[in-house]
Amino acid sequence: MTDTRRRVKVYTLNEDRQWDDRGTGHVSSGYVERLKGMSLLVRAESDGSLLLESKINPNTAYQKQQDTLIVWSEAENYDLALSFQEKAGCDEIWEKICQVQGKDPSVDITQDLVDESEEERFDDMSSPGLELPSCELSRLEEIAELVASSLPSPLRREKLALALENEGYIKKLLELFHVCEDLENIEGLHHLYEIIKGIFLLNRTALFEVMFSEECIMDVIGCLEYDPALSQPRKHREFLTKTAKFKEVIPISDPELKQKIHQTYRVQYIQDMVLPTPSVFEENMLSTLHSFIFFNKVEIVGMLQEDEKFLTDLFAQLTDEATDEEKRQELVNFLKEFCAFSQTLQPQNRDAFFKTLSNMGILPALEVILGMDDTQVRSAATDIFSYLVEYNPSMVREFVMQEAQQNDDVSKKLTEQKITNKDILLINLIIEHMICDTDPELGGAVQLMGLLRTLVDPENMLATANKTEKTEFLGFFYKHCMHVLTAPLLANTTEDKPSKDDFQTAQLLALVLELLTFCVEHHTYHIKNYIINKDILRRVLVLMASKHAFLALCALRFKRKIIGLKDEFYNRYIMKSFLFEPVVKAFLNNGSRYNLMNSAIIEMFEFIRVEDIKSLTAHVIENYWKALEDVDYVQTFKGLKLRFEQQRERQDNPKLDSMRSILRNHRYRRDARTLEDEEEMWFNTDEDDMEDGEAVVSPSDKTKNDDDIMDPISKFMERKKLKESEEKEVLLKTNLSGRQSPSFKLSLSSGTKTTLSSQSPATNLPGSPGSPGSPGSPGSPGSIPKNTSQTAAITTKGGLVGLVDYPDDDEDDDEDEDKEDTLPLSKKAKFES
């Protein structure tokens, strides 16, 4: 359907009493079987989907407002509105609604039915209408009482509204207002205040259009000055006529537009300043007033947007160097308010609005304005820039990249002529204003940092078949802008401690670090190359010496974010520059204080230990162990030392490392019987294999070779389980065929020497002390039989306690025991010897 008469926007009223746009489509009326009645249907013009399906209920009150609006309530707290493109379409649908409800299309409201007693409803419906007292000075009190008594009943409000409309009563009341003011009749003025306030609460658009007309609105405001609760009348008219001045920064040629702007400002003033704050019960009575202002603003933005001459003159004067500062400030303030008004537009209209501004050159204009010295103008320009970034960051990014390309081309030409190009990019202007914010609380800097963060956020960058915005923009940003952002950081960290450490500088550097930390998390090689090439991390860690704890924590958070990436390029850079030194120094200077700094540093080292970052573990222990070894209220540093020693032993014993690799590879094979097969292979290495070996091994070396083979395996078994269960002490008991297996405690002295002591009475069970083949017997030094399920606890010097669980799996215990019982005698003799 392409009939523009039927083209509408659908609005719903939200909880904040603001209208939300639900889309644009075409409205029709017809019988809907599912709803069993005539209904209003609105289908979206974009895809034909159903935006609205509403049955025309005979008892629903429909209101026609401003010739192009139809408003009604579907249910309690659910208001709907149709805004028509053309008056003819509104009239056509209004006739359909009135036809269904049996009403005269000349009315602006069909009805307002509410819960009332049957007697009251009968009395109201049977009465022909409401007769108003004659509009005379002596009867003002009677009129005020009539209005007040009608407000509680919706039907009486409806009749009162119709009577006020039909008899032109409001204009007669305003004539009496002039008489009362001339006679200084304060009592009459107080009655008029109550009458006019009551008329507002009738919530009728037709009455508002009379009251807000050019000839009546100032008299209405005058009536509202005489509040009986106040000893002296307000001076609202004086403010509106003398103090508040309407400035046409650009002459408006359309008289209708000019009148609409005046009307909207005054009605907004009435709502915000003149009318008393409505009670909970009165708030919904002013919904039509909210709607009146809302749709006025939509209309103003649309009319201005269509006036190309107006916008062309606006941007021409904004960028003209001959424009004086006062005039430019007025232009910027107007543009700011214009953008604020645009927030009331529906999405597609807002898209068109910002595209229009973009085509008119709003970004180059903002660049000119931001380069000025006037802080008020810059502040307004920043607000406008924030509207643009929030609406479409890609549009801003595209502009700054094109600007950079043009600057590069100009710079090449100027370089040939030996002239310096002093043009500053828009995004660099934003960064400079953030850095140079004079506000002690850095309110403007925080706002600008948020805008920069939005611009460099890859999540809102577009990717197309031909180009990737992320790659192009980040390449531009790190080439042209990052040095400007990091300039205050680099200038303040030339020594071992910050050169300036006042509160405002610390706040600024914290903002810079917050943005850099965001870059580390969301950018890849761009930020990595920049940090490593410019030695940024070392400079950041200088701030660990700041007297402001929040800044030191920001620096630590930056490093923690880098370590969290587990990137070996970063790790090598950290180790090469010894960048743990400032952190360790801050940790030691913090002493025994239990605070956020202490916890954050320990958490960073704990992360290295848990994630087993080998390079950093070795670096920390080799360089800082002596400073950290006495820290025993947490086991983090001792755990790091244990990790380091395990790495060292693997490096020193390649046989053990290869055995560990074999076991690890088989541990994760899909076949559940793999471990069993490996055990079978080991046992099947029988006398024939050993005899083959005896031909090349001298008898004197045989015992030595056995020791060399078995010793690494047993050590690996112990270390493997040390690693899995470090720093805990658990004593587990495992039942084998109804028997209690012996438990062992492995005590580590200050060296690497280990001793095993029995925790249960000695028995002749395999694996018990003194039995052949036990870990403590000389016959098999350090070896652990496969048929024992043993659990040992480790106790180390200094209170470090950990669990050692021997390598045989619990689920294989029974099978292992059976294996031993079925071994050939030769195997048993060999194993136990």
Side-chain angles (χ1 to χ4, degrees):
M1 189 181 296
T2 59
D3 187 358
T4 58
R5 291 181 306 163
R6 297 287 188 92
R7 190 167 184 264
V8 295
K9 302 172 190 174
V10 180
Y11 292 93
T12 59
L13 196 65
N14 61 28
E15 294 178 354
D16 298 325
R17 313 303 297 172
Q18 300 295 323
W19 288 101
D20 292 334
D21 170 48
R22 296 302 182 190
T24 301
H26 293 86
V27 64
S28 61
S29 62
Y31 185 83
V32 175
E33 181 65 31
R34 183 176 63 83
L35 299 177
K36 305 294 184 185
M38 292 294 292
S39 303
L40 296 177
L41 304 173
V42 179
R43 295 195 176 275
E45 65 180 358
S46 56
D47 57 5
S49 61
L50 199 61
L51 295 178
L52 176 69
E53 185 179 57
S54 173
K55 180 181 177 181
I56 303 174
N57 194 313
N59 299 324
T60 297
Y62 290 84
Q63 296 182 51
K64 187 168 75 165
Q65 302 176 7
Q66 301 182 26
D67 293 333
T68 56
L69 281 174
I70 297 177
V71 182
W72 73 98
S73 296
E74 285 277 301
E76 187 176 358
N77 297 327
Y78 186 64
D79 293 352
L80 288 163
L82 293 180
S83 176
F84 288 78
Q85 181 171 327
E86 296 183 12
K87 180 179 182 296
C90 183
D91 292 342
E92 189 176 335
I93 295 299
W94 182 250
E95 287 179 8
K96 294 283 186 182
I97 294 171
C98 292
Q99 181 181 346
V100 172
Q101 294 197 341
K103 300 292 180 180
D104 184 350
S106 63
V107 300
D108 286 337
I109 185 167
T110 57
Q111 57 189 307
D112 198 349
L113 191 64
V114 296
D115 294 331
E116 294 182 290
S117 67
E118 290 297 325
E119 296 82 0
E120 193 176 19
R121 185 180 301 131
F122 178 78
D123 292 342
D124 285 329
M125 296 302 293
S126 61
S127 60
L130 188 66
E131 289 190 13
L132 293 172
S134 59
C135 197
E136 298 173 0
L137 197 60
S138 60
R139 306 191 71 176
L140 282 176
E141 183 176 1
E142 184 182 346
I143 298 169
E145 290 176 356
L146 175 64
V147 172
S149 64
S150 299
L151 290 176
S153 167
L155 288 174
R156 289 176 187 157
R157 286 206 309 270
E158 171 67 17
K159 292 183 177 181
L160 175 61
L162 290 174
L164 290 170
E165 288 176 44
N166 297 336
E167 299 181 23
Y169 209 78
I170 292 176
K171 292 185 178 180
K172 296 176 183 177
L173 287 171
L174 295 178
E175 290 174 2
L176 282 182
F177 167 71
H178 287 290
V179 174
C180 288
E181 271 208 317
D182 293 340
L183 298 175
E184 296 183 358
N185 185 345
I186 301 301
E187 184 180 358
L189 292 170
H190 286 169
H191 290 317
L192 282 167
Y193 170 89
E194 298 293 350
I195 294 168
I196 296 297
K197 178 187 171 186
I199 293 174
F200 268 97
L201 296 178
L202 292 176
N203 211 25
R204 286 293 296 267
T205 304
L207 297 179
F208 286 158
E209 288 176 351
V210 175
M211 296 166 70
F212 299 154
S213 63
E214 187 72 26
E215 58 179 318
C216 295
I217 189 166
M218 295 307 290
D219 291 337
V220 169
I221 293 172
C223 291
L224 293 172
E225 290 180 349
Y226 293 93
D227 186 348
L230 301 175
S231 58
Q232 293 293 327
R234 301 284 189 181
K235 297 184 178 180
H236 298 303
R237 286 173 294 172
E238 182 179 334
F239 173 81
L240 289 173
T241 54
K242 296 181 180 178
T243 306
K245 298 290 185 182
F246 175 66
K247 295 182 178 180
E248 289 185 74
V249 290
I250 301 292
I252 297 174
S253 55
D254 186 348
E256 184 184 353
L257 172 59
K258 190 183 295 188
Q259 189 274 331
K260 187 70 71 175
I261 292 172
H262 284 303
Q263 184 189 59
T264 305
Y265 175 77
R266 290 166 179 169
V267 175
Q268 185 86 57
Y269 182 83
I270 290 172
Q271 182 191 42
D272 296 340
M273 303 299 297
V274 180
L275 286 177
T277 304
S279 67
V280 175
F281 304 103
E282 294 175 336
E283 190 171 354
N284 290 338
M285 290 181 165
L286 294 174
S287 60
T288 305
L289 183 62
H290 295 300
S291 303
F292 188 95
I293 295 170
F294 172 82
F295 290 113
N296 262 19
K297 288 181 177 180
V298 171
E299 199 170 342
I300 289 170
V301 172
M303 295 170 76
L304 284 173
Q305 189 179 338
E306 292 168 5
D307 191 341
E308 292 186 6
K309 183 179 183 305
F310 178 87
L311 291 177
T312 303
D313 292 345
L314 172 66
F315 285 104
Q317 292 191 34
L318 268 176
T319 54
D320 188 356
E321 294 181 359
T323 305
D324 61 76
E325 290 187 7
E326 184 178 355
K327 178 71 170 178
R328 199 186 309 273
Q329 183 174 344
E330 292 173 354
L331 291 166
V332 172
N333 287 334
F334 170 80
L335 186 56
K336 175 185 171 182
E337 192 169 358
F338 191 29
C339 291
F341 268 39
S342 72
Q343 302 306 298
T344 61
L345 296 175
Q346 57 182 325
Q348 56 265 42
N349 286 354
R350 192 158 62 245
D351 289 349
F353 171 80
F354 280 111
K355 284 177 183 176
T356 301
L357 293 185
S358 178
N359 294 335
M360 290 289 178
I362 188 171
L363 286 168
L366 286 178
E367 190 169 15
V368 173
I369 298 165
L370 288 168
M372 296 178 179
D373 297 330
D374 192 326
T375 54
Q376 289 185 343
V377 170
R378 286 209 312 261
S379 175
T382 301
D383 291 336
I384 297 169
F385 186 69
S386 70
Y387 283 123
L388 295 171
V389 172
E390 289 167 9
Y391 157 71
N392 190 350
S394 291
M395 179 181 75
V396 179
R397 284 192 284 260
E398 183 179 1
F399 169 78
V400 295
M401 285 192 289
Q402 289 176 354
E403 182 188 31
Q405 183 61 48
Q406 293 169 0
N407 273 12
D408 287 346
D409 295 342
V410 172
S411 296
K412 288 178 183 177
K413 295 178 181 179
L414 293 178
T415 301
E416 295 172 359
Q417 303 171 16
K418 299 182 179 181
I419 301 174
T420 304
N421 183 13
K422 297 183 179 179
D423 287 345
I424 301 177
L425 300 175
L426 172 60
I427 197 166
N428 285 346
L429 275 174
I430 297 296
I431 296 172
E432 286 183 6
H433 288 320
M434 182 185 86
I435 293 170
C436 300
D437 189 5
T438 56
D439 179 10
E441 297 298 325
L442 294 185
V446 171
Q447 180 188 11
L448 292 172
M449 195 278 290
L451 297 178
L452 287 172
R453 181 169 175 158
T454 302
L455 288 174
V456 301
D457 187 356
E459 295 297 323
N460 59 46
M461 294 183 185
L462 305 175
T464 62
N466 299 325
K467 64 176 183 177
T468 304
E469 185 183 17
K470 176 181 175 181
T471 303
E472 291 187 355
F473 181 76
L474 292 183
F476 152 80
F477 183 79
Y478 282 88
K479 178 181 178 182
H480 294 92
C481 309
M482 186 57 94
H483 66 281
V484 183
L485 179 65
T486 56
L489 170 67
L490 298 177
N492 208 40
T493 54
T494 54
E495 306 295 335
D496 292 338
K497 60 181 182 179
S499 53
K500 287 180 65 179
D501 205 16
D502 58 280
F503 180 72
Q504 190 166 352
T505 302
Q507 273 193 308
L508 173 63
L509 293 177
L511 285 177
V512 173
L513 284 180
E514 185 179 341
L515 192 56
L516 289 177
T517 304
F518 178 84
C519 294
V520 168
E521 184 177 4
H522 291 89
H523 302 168
T524 51
Y525 57 91
H526 293 94
I527 188 68
K528 185 194 303 181
N529 290 340
Y530 189 81
I531 289 174
I532 294 175
N533 293 334
K534 301 293 184 181
D535 200 13
I536 294 295
L537 180 55
R538 184 178 66 81
R539 305 295 283 272
V540 167
L541 292 175
V542 170
L543 301 177
M544 293 285 293
S546 171
K547 65 183 181 183
H548 300 284
F550 70 88
L551 181 58
L553 287 167
C554 284
L556 183 64
R557 189 185 306 120
F558 179 72
K559 179 170 182 175
R560 173 65 177 81
K561 189 66 71 175
I562 289 175
I563 291 175
L565 297 175
K566 297 190 285 187
D567 187 317
E568 280 303 312
F569 284 100
Y570 277 129
N571 293 346
R572 286 195 289 272
Y573 162 60
I574 290 171
M575 294 185 294
K576 182 179 178 182
S577 302
F578 293 92
L579 295 180
F580 275 101
E581 185 174 334
V583 178
V584 174
K585 190 178 294 184
F587 181 70
L588 297 176
N589 290 339
N590 191 62
S592 59
R593 283 175 292 179
Y594 181 60
N595 53 19
L596 193 55
M597 177 66 72
N598 174 275
S599 299
I601 293 176
I602 289 175
E603 189 278 333
M604 184 174 70
F605 285 110
E606 181 69 12
F607 176 82
I608 295 171
R609 185 193 69 79
V610 171
E611 295 296 323
D612 196 15
I613 306 177
K614 296 179 175 58
S615 57
L616 295 184
T617 300
H619 176 74
V620 169
I621 297 302
E622 288 173 353
N623 294 281
Y624 308 107
W625 172 244
K626 288 185 178 180
L628 300 171
E629 64 178 336
D630 293 332
V631 179
D632 56 4
Y633 55 88
V634 290
Q635 301 303 316
T636 297
F637 301 108
K638 288 184 171 59
L640 275 174
K641 182 71 164 24
L642 185 60
R643 291 275 199 208
F644 173 69
E645 290 174 349
Q646 291 168 353
Q647 293 173 26
R648 268 294 183 75
E649 289 178 12
R650 284 196 292 271
Q651 292 171 2
D652 294 344
N653 200 328
K655 291 182 182 178
L656 178 61
D657 200 49
S658 62
M659 178 62 70
R660 176 179 176 275
S661 176
I662 291 170
L663 291 179
R664 183 180 66 245
N665 291 339
H666 285 289
R667 184 183 182 92
Y668 295 104
R669 282 174 59 176
R670 286 172 295 180
D671 188 353
R673 296 177 303 234
T674 300
L675 183 60
E676 188 177 325
D677 294 339
E678 289 295 317
E679 292 170 353
E680 201 63 43
M681 289 173 61
W682 189 79
F683 282 111
N684 286 338
T685 309
D686 56 11
E687 295 90 343
D688 295 336
D689 299 329
M690 297 302 294
E691 287 170 2
D692 291 342
E694 287 174 2
V696 294
V697 179
S698 62
S700 61
D701 291 334
K702 182 175 181 180
T703 304
K704 182 178 179 182
N705 281 345
D706 288 344
D707 292 348
D708 289 343
I709 293 171
M710 297 302 295
D711 188 54
I713 297 174
S714 62
K715 285 183 179 179
F716 163 69
M717 295 300 184
E718 295 170 10
R719 276 196 309 274
K720 178 172 178 288
K721 293 307 174 180
L722 277 172
K723 175 179 177 182
E724 292 176 355
S725 55
E726 61 215 24
E727 305 162 8
K728 297 179 182 176
E729 179 171 302
V730 178
L731 196 60
L732 300 177
K733 296 181 179 180
T734 308
N735 292 325
L736 285 175
S737 303
R739 295 176 297 172
Q740 182 72 29
S741 66
S743 299
F744 294 93
K745 179 174 286 187
L746 179 61
S747 301
L748 294 185
S749 61
S750 57
T752 57
K753 180 180 176 182
T754 63
T755 60
L756 293 173
S757 59
S758 174
Q759 301 298 307
S760 62
T763 68
N764 290 327
L765 292 174
S768 63
S771 67
S774 72
S777 65
S780 60
S783 65
I784 302 173
K786 281 280 177 182
N787 63 324
T788 54
S789 177
Q790 298 171 342
T791 305
I794 174 170
T795 305
T796 68
K797 180 181 178 181
L800 178 60
V801 179
L803 171 69
V804 178
D805 188 9
Y806 284 89
D808 36 343
D809 298 322
D810 293 340
E811 62 269 20
D812 296 329
D813 288 342
D814 294 337
E815 296 178 15
D816 292 344
E817 187 175 26
D818 293 341
K819 277 185 195 174
E820 191 214 0
D821 292 340
T822 58
L823 283 177
L825 291 175
S826 60
K827 295 282 187 185
K828 287 189 178 181
K830 171 186 165 186
F831 186 77
E832 295 176 359
S833 62

